[in-house]
Amino acid sequence: MGAGKRAGRVVTNGFTLIELVVTVAILGVLAMLALPMLEATAQRQKETELRAALREIRSAIDAYHQAVLDKRIESAADASGYPPDLDALARGVTDITRPDSQPIYFLRRVPRDPFHPDPATPAAATWGLRSYASAPDAPRPGEDVFDVHSLSQRKGLNGVAYREW
């Protein structure tokens, strides 16, 4: 009699196939919901880097121009007073008020545009340049660097194209 009761009882030590399929389906749905959030977070991170890089370069351009106005940097009388290229900000320029001193550096290095697709491109070439002589609505390079913008064709999370930041 005791043997009959044991034979009728089924002991399970695991999950059924249905339980496993339901668990995998739930995990798949959760992953599918989380993916857009991860992509938005990555884009937001790059946007933060872009804002910081633009601020850093634009501040350096303004500091260069101020040094020209303060007569610390040699500049032609008919020149705009803005740097000839982005590399000049990191390369340094001679301080004509103290020629024996170190050059004036405006950047430690030129930051890269985080949205530029080719990592082999030099950092200064990842930016679109606007000269002092070009119109704000149609920026184009020229003899100097008055402003920079991203070359990316994408739009930000705020709906504004990165090249307009």
Side-chain angles (χ1 to χ4, degrees), residues 147-162:
D147 197 12
V148 294
H149 61 272
S150 178
L151 294 173
S152 177
Q153 299 299 320
R154 297 174 57 187
K155 287 190 175 189
L157 293 173
N158 62 0
V160 178
Y162 292 129

Side-chain angles (χ1 to χ4, degrees), residues 26-67:
I26 291 171
L27 289 175
V29 168
L30 290 174
M32 194 170 58
L33 293 173
L35 188 61
M37 288 177 37
L38 291 175
E39 289 173 353
T41 301
Q43 185 174 353
R44 193 172 294 115
Q45 168 83 25
K46 281 187 169 185
E47 287 182 2
T48 301
E49 290 175 31
L50 177 63
R51 276 191 197 93
L54 287 170
R55 189 174 299 117
E56 182 178 7
I57 293 171
R58 287 172 175 160
S59 294
I61 291 170
D62 291 342
Y64 183 101
H65 184 54
Q66 187 61 47

Side-chain angles (χ1 to χ4, degrees), residues 43-144:
Q43 185 174 353
R44 193 172 294 115
Q45 168 83 25
K46 281 187 169 185
E47 287 182 2
T48 301
E49 290 175 31
L50 177 63
R51 276 191 197 93
L54 287 170
R55 189 174 299 117
E56 182 178 7
I57 293 171
R58 287 172 175 160
S59 294
I61 291 170
D62 291 342
Y64 183 101
H65 184 54
Q66 187 61 47
V68 168
L69 294 176
D70 293 341
K71 308 242 186 285
R72 294 183 66 200
I73 298 175
E74 192 171 344
S75 179
D78 62 343
S80 66
Y82 289 97
D85 55 41
L86 288 180
D87 288 325
L89 299 171
R91 189 173 52 243
V93 290
T94 304
D95 184 348
I96 59 174
T97 62
R98 297 173 51 200
D100 295 337
S101 67
Q102 286 189 349
I104 304 170
Y105 297 102
F106 300 95
L107 290 174
R108 291 176 188 220
R109 63 175 177 76
V110 177
R112 296 184 59 77
D113 179 349
F115 288 100
H116 195 277
D118 185 11
T121 304
T126 63
W127 299 101
L129 306 178
R130 174 183 168 213
S131 73
Y132 183 74
S134 76
D137 55 343
R140 62 185 199 294
E143 295 180 7
D144 57 15

